Amino acid sequence: MILSRTHTAQESVTVQVCSNIQGRSGYAQETVVVTARCRASGFKLLSLRASDDNVVEVTVGPEYLSPAGGDDFMIDTRNLSRYVTDIFGPGVVAEAFSDQFLRLRFLEESFRKVPLVPVSYVTFKPQYMALGGMELSADSVLVYGLPERISSIDKIRTEPVSLKDLKRDAHGIVNLEVPADVRLSLTEVGYKLPVGRYVEIRESLKIDARNVPLGTEFVLSPSSAEVLWRCSFPLRERPSGHSGLYVDYREFERSLTGKCIIRLSDVPDGVIDYEINPEVCLCLEKSNEK
């Protein structure tokens, strides 16, 4: 055999299959032997034979595993061919597998679905800010482990994302923090933080009262408040033309102090954020009935 030339031979590799099947163990219960007629250089074929005792770990997408009853799953040669490089290594072509499918056993495992929470530390260039919260490519994750362990876990956090002096959208990949003695269905997620330029506008607006019964004089103190608008740049129109401040009488009825939150109605498009000062006002009820 001239080792530098391409040759064909039947080769076998012992494989430990991993997957991410919902409600199942992350590893197949037993290893399997994958045998195929392989075409590769003589050097590569010799190295395969020299590694007969090695076990190769291959992660198979759950979409390529078909349920076969009970704990059993199957993968056919069409889908197995996607993992030829993972099994036999680079530079090997599997011309034909000796078996039409592999049977694998993934045992049931306790799990719980919990929300993902992004953790971030972000600063912005002057006149720039986030246009919303940090978005993750998944909103939840499956936590696997002993029932008494996973019952105490109600959320999974990302590792901290630190971003400085942003003036455009930020995106990337972040790892998840894995609690001790559990396994997660995901180990990393994508994140995106929309960023835009803004302008600030201060306006004093009258506070209206809503749902006041007939015959009732409802007095607000103060009668107006200042709104600090942060609007997308460029500014097309003043936001106060489409919204206003109000206090709800029904909230006053439930109040013990007579103080009510000043609310904003109909936040217009283009407003990224706003602040109302003061945030509450004192409400007094005067009946006009005799």
Side-chain angles (χ1 to χ4, degrees):
M1 175 188 291
I2 301 177
L3 297 182
S4 60
R5 292 185 179 179
T6 299
H7 301 271
T8 300
Q10 183 165 288
E11 302 293 344
S12 297
V13 174
T14 302
V15 177
Q16 172 66 69
V17 178
C18 312
S19 193
N20 191 19
I21 308 169
Q22 181 170 318
R24 299 282 173 174
S25 169
Y27 289 84
Q29 188 69 5
E30 299 91 10
T31 60
V32 291
V33 176
V34 178
T35 302
R37 187 172 71 248
C38 297
R39 179 161 49 87
S41 70
F43 289 110
K44 184 62 183 179
L45 294 175
L46 278 179
S47 68
L48 279 173
R49 292 168 192 171
S51 59
D52 281 346
D53 296 332
N54 295 343
V55 177
V56 177
E57 190 171 295
V58 177
T59 300
V60 174
E63 65 272 22
Y64 303 127
L65 295 168
S66 303
D71 297 326
D72 289 349
F73 293 81
M74 292 192 307
I75 181 170
D76 58 28
T77 54
R78 179 176 60 86
N79 287 316
L80 190 61
S81 63
R82 302 172 185 270
Y83 301 97
V84 168
T85 300
D86 296 328
I87 297 170
F88 295 102
V92 178
V93 175
E95 296 181 335
F97 290 94
S98 61
D99 299 309
Q100 293 301 307
F101 61 85
L102 296 179
R103 185 179 291 269
L104 305 159
R105 196 153 60 101
F106 289 88
L107 301 182
E108 288 187 357
E109 191 172 1
S110 298
F111 71 96
R112 184 182 184 193
K113 187 176 184 179
V114 298
L116 284 176
V117 179
V119 177
S120 61
Y121 303 96
V122 185
T123 62
F124 302 91
K125 291 281 190 181
Q127 296 299 114
Y128 288 87
M129 65 182 296
L131 301 181
M134 180 170 284
E135 305 165 5
L136 300 179
S137 57
D139 59 8
S140 60
V141 64
L142 301 182
V143 182
Y144 292 88
L146 296 175
E148 58 270 22
R149 176 69 179 105
I150 64 177
S151 64
S152 64
I153 299 173
D154 58 4
K155 59 180 172 291
I156 294 295
R157 294 182 175 88
T158 67
E159 292 184 352
V161 177
S162 182
L163 304 167
K164 292 184 177 181
D165 296 333
L166 294 184
K167 64 176 183 178
R168 59 177 61 89
D169 292 355
H171 56 85
I173 302 294
V174 60
N175 292 328
L176 303 182
E177 291 189 344
V178 185
D181 303 321
V182 301
R183 176 175 65 87
L184 304 181
S185 60
L186 300 171
T187 57
E188 62 183 23
V189 292
Y191 70 84
K192 179 179 179 181
L193 182 66
V195 175
R197 188 177 175 187
Y198 70 91
V199 293
E200 289 188 344
I201 301 174
R202 294 181 184 272
E203 294 184 300
S204 181
L205 300 180
K206 178 180 176 294
I207 306 171
D208 294 323
R210 293 187 177 182
N211 302 309
V212 179
L214 292 175
T216 298
E217 184 180 355
F218 197 48
V219 181
L220 308 179
S221 178
S223 59
S224 63
E226 183 182 76
V227 181
L228 173 62
W229 307 96
R230 294 186 180 93
C231 306
S232 297
F233 179 86
L235 180 66
R236 294 181 174 84
E237 56 183 330
R238 298 188 76 83
S240 58
H242 299 275
S243 61
L245 300 178
Y246 73 93
V247 166
D248 195 327
Y249 178 85
R250 290 174 296 195
E251 185 177 334
F252 167 75
E253 289 183 305
R254 299 189 297 269
S255 171
L256 298 177
T257 64
K259 293 183 178 180
C260 295
I261 297 173
I262 303 171
R263 304 187 183 279
L264 184 69
S265 64
D266 303 321
V267 179
D269 293 339
V271 172
I272 304 170
D273 189 22
Y274 63 87
E275 296 176 12
I276 302 172
N277 185 34
E279 298 179 349
V280 299
C281 67
L282 180 64
C283 305
L284 301 173
E285 181 181 17
K286 295 182 179 180
S287 177
N288 293 327
E289 295 180 353
K290 295 183 179 180

